[in-house]
Amino acid sequence: ERSYKNEINGLRPSKPLFEKVDADFVQFKRNAAKEVSYLVKEFECKKSASAYARATTSRTGVLDCTKLHTYKYNEDLFKKITTLPEGKNHGLIFLLDWSGSMSHVMMDTVKQLLNLIWFCKKVNIPFQVYAFTNSFPIHRYREDVFGQEVCGEYATNRPDPKVYEKREGVFQIDEGFCLMNLLSSKVKTKELDKQIKSLFRIAYTFAYRSFDYNYPVRTPHGMGLSGTPLNESLIAFNSIIPKFQKENGVEKVQCVILTDGEAYTPSYHHEVQRHWEDEPYMGRAAIWSGTFLRDRKLGKTYRVKDSNYGFTEVLLENLKDTFPTVNFIGIRLLPSRDAGSFIRRYHGWTDEEYQKIMKGWKKNRSVSIKSSSYDTYFGLSTTALASDDEFEVKEDATKTEIKRAFGKSLKGKKMNKKILSEFIELVA
């Protein structure tokens, strides 16, 4: 591997370039083992409870000798057997926000994601992790503004992206939009460990460079943060979900979307006749409130109620109608200043439920919304997400310091377990 000194001065390596980040990764993986074990335990308990709730009881045809003395008043003298239905196959699809605003929380978000990935591996659940971007160099970087070829052989050897026919009223897809398949349960464990480590390193560059611009590690080409093509990603789920179900033979799929904000205002293709041109020009128009989405296959229309986030809500409703057995779980990362507006979006200003939820937010720095288009929309404080809840004190700590550290640890774990338990209940 390269080194700091080799990177900066071109001299002989003296210190491994990834020494610190890899040490942090090893420590994080060791600490995460407890949380993963908790997830596994909760999952098995929920799954077992669900199975017993669907259990059936039938007679075996064999006499139960312990009941023979009751033959005068009891007609049920046969042994019974309880049959548990086979558990459903589960699968998880993760969508990670790869936008520029995620830079300060990307590391903490990736840590939460990896906890869930290790949980999936532990209970043998197939999964796929995607990240959306509109900056991946598939074809848009082949020519610069002067028409000269750039990226050379790398660009010309890339496959051409799938295109669609631009027609009046059809949703516009950004030409640079891509879904990066970062992690997959299909690969062998050794390869997955390598991929996880690479993802951790990339997330580390975003966090580290925010306060140290001399850090020599740079983001790989095409992996830089970009815009927020969340809506395009939800449309792509119409192809991803059935493919995932078919390839993995799963019955119960959960789509988990981790983001810190809204998608940008979408557009649709709109044909206009410009007076200086003979042929109509295929332009575009923004999707504002009052616009309708039509799904011809389902025979349904959906009205966009809000210009900022309404189209995302409509796409989620359409996905739930298309895939009624799939759960869509949102995980929204919130600065404390944005929590109130996020909760008011679904509960208004004066609703009693709003007051109750805000009280829970102030106490636990987390919230669970049931009234959005997501099956459950979790709001997590970015500060609580980044906090270290490990119970650590100095060797010469006083009783007061030990008590304070213990209380802080329990408070953080209470918040984590509450959200994790609810999440597992959805998954199981």
Side-chain angles (χ1 to χ4, degrees):
E1 291 192 351
R2 298 176 296 171
S3 69
Y4 290 114
K5 201 170 184 179
N6 187 39
E7 178 74 20
I8 299 172
N9 301 322
L11 301 178
R12 185 177 180 181
S14 60
K15 184 178 182 181
L17 182 61
F18 297 111
E19 182 180 59
K20 186 178 188 306
V21 60
D22 288 350
D24 288 349
F25 174 73
V26 171
Q27 183 63 39
F28 162 69
K29 190 174 182 179
R30 185 181 298 115
N31 294 338
K34 295 179 181 178
E35 189 166 331
V36 173
S37 297
Y38 172 78
L39 284 169
V40 173
K41 181 181 177 181
E42 285 286 302
F43 178 75
E44 294 298 338
C45 288
K46 298 288 184 183
K47 193 169 65 172
S48 298
S50 177
Y52 275 102
R54 293 180 284 114
T56 57
T57 303
S58 58
R59 295 180 181 180
T60 63
V62 179
L63 286 172
D64 186 351
C65 295
T66 61
K67 295 181 179 180
L68 288 178
H69 66 284
T70 65
Y71 73 95
K72 290 185 178 182
Y73 54 85
N74 185 12
E75 295 181 355
D76 188 8
L77 301 178
F78 293 93
K79 289 183 177 180
K80 294 182 179 181
I81 184 171
T82 300
T83 304
L84 294 176
E86 293 183 3
K88 291 185 178 181
N89 296 325
H90 298 73
L92 281 163
I93 301 174
F94 296 94
L95 179 62
L96 176 61
D97 187 337
W98 206 254
S99 64
S101 60
M102 287 284 292
S103 60
H104 66 293
V105 293
M106 184 64 79
M107 174 55 77
D108 299 311
T109 306
V110 167
K111 286 181 177 179
Q112 298 299 313
L113 173 65
L114 294 185
N115 281 337
L116 298 176
I117 295 303
W118 285 323
F119 155 72
C120 290
K121 286 293 293 181
K122 199 85 171 179
V123 295
N124 199 28
I125 292 179
F127 62 86
Q128 294 287 344
V129 178
Y130 295 92
F132 58 67
T133 179
N134 53 12
S135 296
F136 196 79
I138 288 186
H139 71 295
R140 65 184 305 182
Y141 295 123
R142 287 189 180 183
E143 294 184 355
D144 62 13
V145 292
F146 300 104
Q148 300 297 319
E149 184 179 351
V150 295
C151 298
E153 185 178 354
Y154 171 79
T156 56
N157 285 341
R158 298 292 295 173
D160 289 329
K162 292 183 178 180
V163 296
Y164 64 97
E165 182 184 353
K166 298 179 180 179
R167 304 192 315 273
E168 173 72 27
V170 174
F171 181 70
Q172 184 195 26
I173 303 293
D174 189 294
E175 291 185 355
F177 166 67
C178 284
L179 283 176
M180 303 182 292
N181 194 183
L182 301 180
L183 302 173
S184 173
S185 58
K186 288 185 176 182
V187 301
K188 295 181 179 179
T189 302
K190 187 176 181 180
E191 182 64 23
L192 179 63
D193 291 341
K194 183 179 178 181
Q195 293 174 352
I196 288 175
K197 195 173 184 180
S198 297
L199 178 59
F200 192 90
R201 286 175 173 179
I202 293 173
Y204 195 85
T205 64
F206 299 137
Y208 208 107
R209 289 179 63 186
S210 64
F211 59 85
D212 185 0
Y213 289 96
N214 294 320
Y215 186 56
V217 178
R218 293 296 178 261
T219 307
H221 180 60
M223 294 292 291
L225 301 180
S226 65
T228 314
L230 173 59
N231 292 327
E232 287 86 341
S233 303
L234 294 179
I235 293 174
F237 272 5
N238 284 279
S239 300
I240 291 173
I241 292 174
K243 181 182 178 182
F244 179 79
Q245 289 176 317
K246 183 178 179 180
E247 291 180 348
N248 297 281
V250 294
E251 302 170 68
K252 194 171 183 181
V253 177
Q254 322 293 331
C255 293
V256 183
I257 300 167
L258 302 100
T259 180
D260 73 330
E262 319 299 343
Y264 50 71
T265 303
S267 301
Y268 65 95
H269 292 290
H270 180 54
E271 189 176 82
V272 294
Q273 180 65 60
R274 301 189 291 199
H275 69 273
W276 63 88
E277 293 180 344
D278 296 332
E279 298 294 329
Y281 171 74
M282 185 59 73
R284 65 177 183 175
I287 297 176
W288 303 111
S289 58
T291 306
F292 285 85
L293 172 72
R294 176 187 295 173
D295 188 322
R296 297 183 185 276
K297 291 183 179 180
L298 295 179
K300 286 190 173 184
T301 57
Y302 306 83
R303 185 177 183 274
V304 178
K305 298 179 181 179
D306 186 274
S307 301
N308 295 321
Y309 61 87
F311 193 66
T312 302
E313 295 279 309
V314 162
L315 290 176
L316 284 167
E317 290 175 14
N318 177 246
L319 281 170
K320 289 166 69 175
D321 289 338
T322 306
F323 305 102
T325 61
V326 176
N327 281 337
F328 293 89
I329 303 169
I331 298 180
R332 177 70 178 269
L333 312 177
L334 291 165
S336 295
R337 64 178 181 275
D338 295 339
S341 60
F342 173 71
I343 296 170
R344 284 194 297 271
R345 175 188 304 174
Y346 304 102
H347 294 284
W349 289 77
T350 57
D351 191 276
E352 292 183 4
E353 186 68 16
Y354 166 74
Q355 300 296 337
K356 180 180 178 182
I357 292 176
M358 277 302 297
K359 185 177 180 180
W361 168 267
K362 292 177 181 178
K363 181 179 180 181
N364 300 318
R365 292 302 181 204
S366 61
V367 63
S368 176
I369 302 290
K370 303 292 186 181
S371 52
S372 73
S373 293
Y374 288 100
D375 289 281
T376 299
Y377 204 176
F378 294 109
L380 299 178
S381 169
T382 53
T383 54
L385 198 65
S387 64
D388 184 5
D389 296 318
E390 292 298 318
F391 178 49
E392 295 181 357
V393 293
K394 299 178 181 178
E395 293 183 2
D396 57 345
T398 63
K399 290 183 178 180
T400 303
E401 290 173 337
I402 294 174
K403 182 180 178 181
R404 188 184 302 114
F406 184 65
K408 182 180 178 181
S409 173
L410 287 180
K411 184 178 180 181
K413 293 182 184 300
K414 181 180 179 181
M415 184 275 289
N416 288 335
K417 287 188 175 183
K418 181 180 181 298
I419 292 297
L420 291 175
S421 179
E422 193 169 345
F423 174 82
I424 290 299
E425 188 171 353
L426 285 168
V427 173

